[in-house]
Amino acid sequence: MRIQHQFLLYHSLFLLFLTATTLVSPSHGDLGKCHPSDFKALMKMKNYITMSDVYSSWFQNTDCCNWIGIQCDSKTNRIGGIHLFIGDIDGQIPPSVGDLSHLTALTLNHFKNVTGPIPQSITKLKHLEVLDLGDMSLSGPVPHFLNQLTLLTRLDLSKNQFSGSIPPNLSDLKNIISIHLDGNKLTGSIPESFGKFTGTVLDLYLGRNKLTGRVPKFLGALNGAIDLSRNKLIGDASFLINPNHSFIDLSKNEFEFDLSKVKFPKDLNIFDISHNKIFGGIPDEIKNLESLYTLKVGYNRLCGKIPTGGIMKRFKSTSFFHNKCLCGTPLTISCKKN
C-alpha cells in the first residue's frame, strides 16, 4: 500500500508540473509559425520594457509572426526583422535582443524614453545587416564592439545622446554603406581610418556634433553623401568637393579655402558651405550644374559676381548673404569697379 501511495503522489505531482509548464510555455501549435526560442526572446524583451497599447498584439499564446513590427522569414519562419517606430516604448534596449539569432534588421526609432547604452549582447546577432537606433535618448560612448557586426550595411545612431570619440574601428565594417552618427555629442577628431572603408559606396553623416580638428584627406575618396555640418572643424576641406559626392554639407564650421579654385562635380545636388571662413569667388561653371537645386554659401568671405542664368530660378534653396563683397542677382547689389 505504501508503494502504491507513493506512486500516486509522484504521478499527481508530475501531472501538476505538466499543467504548470503548459501554462507558462505555450505549445508550438499555440505559437503558430513563431519559433519557440524567438518567442521566448521576445517575451523577455516585452517584460524588460514598457510598451503602449499599440503593441497589444505582443501577447502570450499568439503567433509572434503576426505581431506588429515583427517580420518573419517566409521559408524558415524565424524572426528576421524588428521594426518599431510608432507608439511609446520606455526603458532600455533589452539584452535579450541578442537571442534572436536570425535577426537581419533591428529598427527602433522615435522613442525618446528609450535610454541607456547599447547592450553588448547585440554582438551575438551575426546576421545583422541593418542597425537603426535613431531619434531616441541612448547615451554613453558609441560602442567599440559594433565592429563585430561584420555583415552590417547600415548603421544609424543619429539624434541620440552619445558622447566621447568616434571609434576608429568602425572602418572594420567591410560591407558598410551608410553611417549616421549625426545629432549627438561626439567630440574629438574624425578618425583617419574613416578614409579606408572598403565598400564602394558610403554615406557619412557626422553633422551636429562637437567634432574638432582637420578632415582626413582620405574622406575625399568616399562615394556618397557627406555631412560634416555644425561642428568645429578647421582647415581646407575643398578636396571633399569632387565627383564622388552629390550631397555636401560643410556648413557651420571653421573651414578656410579658396572656392574659386574648386571644380564642381556635374551630379552635385546639394551644396552648403555657409557659415565658414571660405574666400575667393563663386565659379561661373556652377550655373551649368543641372542637378544642383540647393546652393548655400552665405556667411563667408566670398567676393566677386554671383553667376546668373536660369539656374537661379531652379534652386529650391539659396543663400548668398553676409559675404565680404559678393554682388549681383539675387542680392540686387551693384558690382563696383575698383
Side-chain angles (χ1 to χ4, degrees):
M1 289 292 295
R2 184 177 181 182
I3 295 176
Q4 185 179 6
H5 177 73
Q6 287 179 336
F7 173 78
L8 291 174
L9 177 62
Y10 292 148
H11 182 67
S12 298
L13 290 173
F14 178 69
L15 291 177
L16 181 63
F17 171 76
L18 286 179
T19 302
T21 303
T22 302
L23 291 174
V24 175
S25 302
S27 68
H28 191 265
D30 295 329
L31 298 181
K33 297 178 181 180
C34 185
H35 193 277
S37 64
D38 290 345
F39 177 85
K40 182 178 180 181
L42 286 177
M43 290 306 295
K44 282 184 178 181
M45 288 179 62
K46 181 184 177 183
N47 294 332
Y48 194 86
I49 56 181
T50 302
M51 308 176 78
S52 64
D53 292 340
V54 174
Y55 300 99
S56 59
S57 60
W58 287 46
F59 196 75
Q60 189 86 359
N61 297 345
T62 57
D63 187 349
C64 69
C65 291
N66 295 327
W67 291 2
I68 187 169
I70 300 300
Q71 178 184 2
C72 287
D73 184 272
S74 59
K75 294 182 180 180
T76 65
N77 293 325
R78 301 302 299 266
I79 293 178
I82 296 180
H83 306 283
L84 309 180
F85 46 85
I86 59 174
D88 294 315
I89 294 179
D90 297 0
Q92 299 187 2
I93 298 176
S96 57
V97 71
D99 297 333
L100 296 168
S101 58
H102 287 63
L103 204 64
T104 61
L106 175 60
T107 300
L108 300 177
N109 280 139
H110 314 303
F111 302 119
K112 289 300 186 183
N113 291 326
V114 173
T115 61
I118 298 175
Q120 188 162 0
S121 62
I122 209 167
T123 58
K124 296 192 294 182
L125 302 176
K126 300 303 182 183
H127 301 286
L128 198 66
E129 297 176 9
V130 175
L131 179 59
D132 187 347
L133 305 177
D135 198 13
M136 299 198 289
S137 296
L138 301 176
S139 59
V142 175
H144 284 73
F145 54 69
L146 293 179
N147 74 325
Q148 297 179 38
L149 302 173
T150 55
L151 297 183
L152 210 61
T153 61
R154 175 180 171 85
L155 173 64
D156 191 341
L157 305 181
S158 62
K159 299 179 184 178
N160 278 286
Q161 302 293 321
F162 290 110
S163 58
S165 58
I166 300 173
N169 67 359
L170 289 181
S171 62
D172 295 343
L173 298 171
K174 299 184 183 303
N175 296 291
I176 199 72
I177 293 175
S178 109
I179 292 181
H180 294 249
L181 300 179
D182 48 305
N184 283 285
K185 299 178 180 179
L186 300 175
T187 56
S189 58
I190 301 173
E192 289 283 344
S193 61
F194 268 37
K196 300 176 182 177
F197 286 102
T198 57
T200 56
V201 177
L202 180 66
D203 292 333
L204 183 61
Y205 291 81
L206 302 179
R208 289 171 295 142
N209 280 291
K210 300 178 181 179
L211 300 174
T212 56
R214 297 178 180 273
V215 179
K217 290 280 188 181
F218 292 111
L219 287 192
L222 299 181
N223 291 295
I226 185 158
D227 177 7
L228 305 181
S229 63
R230 303 190 183 200
N231 282 290
K232 298 179 181 179
L233 300 167
I234 62 171
D236 183 356
S238 61
F239 59 88
L240 295 174
I241 307 171
N242 65 55
N244 292 332
H245 303 130
S246 59
F247 175 108
I248 301 172
D249 191 347
L250 308 179
S251 63
K252 296 187 177 180
N253 281 283
E254 298 180 24
F255 291 126
E256 294 184 66
F257 57 85
D258 187 347
L259 187 63
S260 62
K261 296 182 179 180
V262 168
K263 186 171 180 60
F264 289 93
K266 293 181 179 180
D267 296 327
L268 188 62
N269 302 134
I270 296 176
F271 185 65
D272 189 348
I273 58 169
S274 61
H275 295 268
N276 279 286
K277 300 177 182 179
I278 297 168
F279 54 92
I282 302 176
D284 196 58
E285 67 177 278
I286 201 168
K287 67 184 181 183
N288 299 321
L289 302 180
E290 296 181 356
S291 299
L292 185 62
Y293 57 85
T294 296
L295 174 64
K296 295 183 179 182
V297 298
Y299 294 87
N300 278 291
R301 299 173 180 176
L302 298 172
C303 275
K305 193 173 182 178
I306 298 173
T308 58
I311 185 172
M312 296 305 173
K313 298 178 181 179
R314 191 177 67 245
F315 285 149
K316 293 183 178 179
S317 179
T318 59
S319 170
F320 299 95
F321 295 100
H322 295 277
N323 273 285
K324 185 177 181 180
C325 51
L326 273 180
C327 56
T329 305
L331 295 183
T332 66
I333 299 175
S334 61
C335 296
K336 296 180 180 180
K337 294 182 179 180
N338 294 329

